[in-house]
Amino acid sequence: MDLTSGLMDIQLIPQYPVIKESVILSVIGTTGRIRYFAWYKGPNTRAEYQFLKYTSAATSPLLPGPVYVSRARPFPNGSLLITDLHMIDTGNYIIRVQTEKSEENTSVSLTVYQHLRKLRVTASTSHPTENDTFTLTCNTRNAERILWSRDSVSLPSGSILRANNRTVTFSRVTRGDSGEYRCEIENSASKSISDPYTVTVYYGPDNVQITGELLVHVGSYISLSCSADSYPPPNYQWIFKDSDLNIKQNTLLLYNAYDESQGMYTCAVTNPATRRNATASVYVIVALGVRGSPDELSVTQIAGIIFGTVLGTVLIVSVTFLLYKRCVLPVREEQRETSNEKQESPSEYYNVQAPTVFNPASQENTYVGLQYKTQDTYSDLQRGYGFTA
């Protein structure tokens, strides 16, 4: 056949052939009648690289060459079909076409791709600890490109890609590097993405703090709470004056505080994974006072206290008035009557103090002075105090 130089070409159908499938090396751009053509697999058209030769006028047109495979079949127009592709079929293919007037060569590179299987991400350790070196690996082959992501966005700034992006390394992993990691691979024929690999970085304990009332009253209770930044959650231990209180939770609650309850309380925190520990301490003062602070009293309790105070004041005033009426007034009346009958010298009298009376208004003791004469009889004193013989 007649060939126009530079117009003959080979196209791959499909463009990206996959292992176990078929491909056609389709020859286009030929004109005229073909006498024969030969295919070669290799760098040139030397006989040792001949794949097959096809002669159109021969009784047996196909002549296998040294590198021929039985899965290949030629077409009269020069095209070549290869079925059940193997990876060994990858290579450089050259066709030499001879017509009645001319001869021309052209070539094509055939790459057999694999279907990318489901990927799997593995880690250098299942439990990375903060500040340690940590590596993730994308287990794949024959990938033309590998992409990494964390939580569907780009990788953290401290990560380093190595081995053609097959690995991600953290020289000092941090708690901020925790998240879901994926690797995605692709070649010209297909792509695949891995299932998420969850990275949880162990850290702490850090920032240990104790909260609670540090001034309590005798008879009240001591309540303290301990917290720390830690993963996994830490173990707690409470210590008082160098003695283990055998409390293994983050909350300390002691009832009925007394003088000996005063002192230094320490919360010791241990991370079971990182094997690191930290402590925090506070000093609790136990003071004398009414049990419970005003903030702890209910409205009913406050109303009861006010009512009791008012009622007590009324009772005290009433009793004081009755005593004054029964004891003091009769005596003064008797004194006035006696004074009218006799004029005695003041030196004949002695001062006598009456019983102590509590005055709730002044909060002081008030004494009422009584006078009597030396010659007054005992019965007169009885009458003066309002008692009958």
Side-chain angles (χ1 to χ4, degrees):
M1 68 178 184
D2 295 331
L3 297 177
T4 303
S5 179
L7 295 180
M8 189 173 68
D9 195 12
I10 302 173
Q11 292 182 350
L12 296 178
I13 305 175
Q15 185 176 1
Y16 305 107
V18 179
I19 193 171
K20 299 297 183 181
E21 298 183 2
S22 300
V23 65
I24 298 176
L25 283 64
S26 178
V27 179
I28 59 175
T30 61
T31 58
R33 187 164 178 257
I34 298 176
R35 295 178 56 188
Y36 70 88
F37 60 84
W39 281 97
Y40 300 84
K41 183 186 177 186
N44 52 54
T45 58
R46 291 174 56 179
E48 60 201 75
Y49 298 119
Q50 190 176 75
F51 190 78
L52 61 81
K53 184 176 180 181
Y54 183 90
T55 304
S56 58
T59 303
S60 299
L62 175 61
L63 179 63
V67 295
Y68 174 75
V69 293
S70 60
R71 296 176 285 106
R73 182 168 69 90
F75 294 99
N77 66 349
S79 299
L80 179 66
L81 169 66
I82 304 176
T83 61
D84 190 21
L85 286 168
H86 295 11
M87 294 302 298
I88 59 173
D89 295 327
T90 296
N92 184 60
Y93 288 80
I94 304 172
I95 186 173
R96 187 177 60 156
V97 178
Q98 178 66 56
T99 66
E100 296 175 344
K101 297 181 179 180
S102 62
E103 180 180 286
E104 189 170 353
N105 300 340
T106 189
S107 64
V108 67
S109 178
L110 172 63
T111 300
V112 178
Y113 296 91
Q114 287 184 330
H115 278 300
L116 297 176
R117 299 178 180 179
K118 193 68 176 181
L119 301 175
R120 187 169 62 94
V121 175
T122 58
S124 56
T125 176
S126 58
H127 303 298
T129 301
E130 193 168 45
N131 297 324
D132 288 349
T133 300
F134 178 62
T135 300
L136 293 173
T137 301
C138 185
N139 294 300
T140 181
R141 295 179 180 178
N142 303 316
E144 295 179 351
R145 187 173 64 164
I146 302 176
L147 300 175
W148 285 90
S149 64
R150 184 193 67 169
D151 298 331
S152 301
V153 296
S154 59
L155 290 175
S157 58
S159 59
I160 302 172
L161 292 170
R162 293 193 173 110
N164 296 325
N165 290 1
R166 289 188 67 246
T167 64
V168 179
T169 300
F170 303 85
S171 57
R172 291 173 62 89
V173 68
T174 68
R175 67 192 71 178
D177 295 326
S178 298
E180 291 189 346
Y181 288 77
R182 295 175 184 265
C183 72
E184 179 181 352
I185 64 173
E186 65 179 13
N187 58 28
S188 299
S190 61
K191 65 166 50 179
S192 179
I193 187 169
S194 69
D195 290 330
Y197 183 91
T198 301
V199 174
T200 302
V201 179
Y202 291 170
Y203 60 87
D206 299 325
N207 192 29
V208 182
Q209 295 183 356
I210 299 177
T211 57
E213 292 293 335
L214 303 184
L215 174 61
V216 300
H217 297 291
V218 170
S220 183
Y221 58 87
I222 298 173
S223 178
L224 300 175
S225 181
C226 185
S227 63
D229 295 335
S230 175
Y231 189 86
N235 298 325
Y236 294 91
Q237 178 185 15
W238 286 95
I239 301 171
F240 175 63
K241 295 180 179 179
D242 298 326
S243 297
D244 188 357
L245 296 179
N246 197 29
I247 298 176
K248 306 301 182 182
Q249 57 190 15
N250 69 319
T251 301
L252 169 71
L253 184 60
L254 301 178
Y255 293 95
N256 196 22
Y258 58 102
D259 293 345
E260 294 300 321
S261 302
Q262 178 169 301
M264 187 73 72
Y265 289 82
T266 299
C267 175
V269 183
T270 302
N271 187 317
T274 64
R275 302 186 182 277
R276 299 171 184 170
N277 54 72
T279 61
S281 300
V282 294
Y283 194 92
V284 176
I285 299 174
V286 180
L288 295 174
V290 179
R291 181 175 181 178
S293 63
D295 293 338
E296 297 171 344
L297 298 177
S298 65
V299 175
T300 303
Q301 290 173 319
I302 295 173
I305 292 173
I306 296 174
F307 178 77
T309 302
V310 173
L311 180 60
T313 303
V314 172
L315 289 175
I316 292 173
V317 172
S318 300
V319 171
T320 303
F321 176 76
L322 290 175
L323 288 174
Y324 179 80
K325 183 177 181 180
R326 296 186 63 181
C327 299
V328 178
L329 291 180
V331 172
R332 289 186 175 181
E333 184 65 27
E334 183 69 21
Q335 288 176 348
R336 281 194 294 270
E337 291 176 359
T338 304
S339 177
N340 293 333
E341 295 174 357
K342 296 181 180 181
Q343 294 293 330
E344 301 290 345
S345 173
S347 61
E348 297 179 0
Y349 294 88
Y350 296 89
N351 290 328
V352 177
Q353 289 183 342
T356 302
V357 179
F358 180 75
N359 185 348
S362 63
Q363 298 294 312
E364 297 178 355
N365 292 328
T366 304
Y367 299 90
V368 179
L370 299 179
Q371 292 181 331
Y372 64 92
K373 289 190 272 186
T374 56
Q375 63 268 31
D376 287 342
T377 63
Y378 177 72
S379 59
D380 293 331
L381 292 175
Q382 286 180 323
R383 286 194 304 273
Y385 282 100
F387 301 104
T388 59

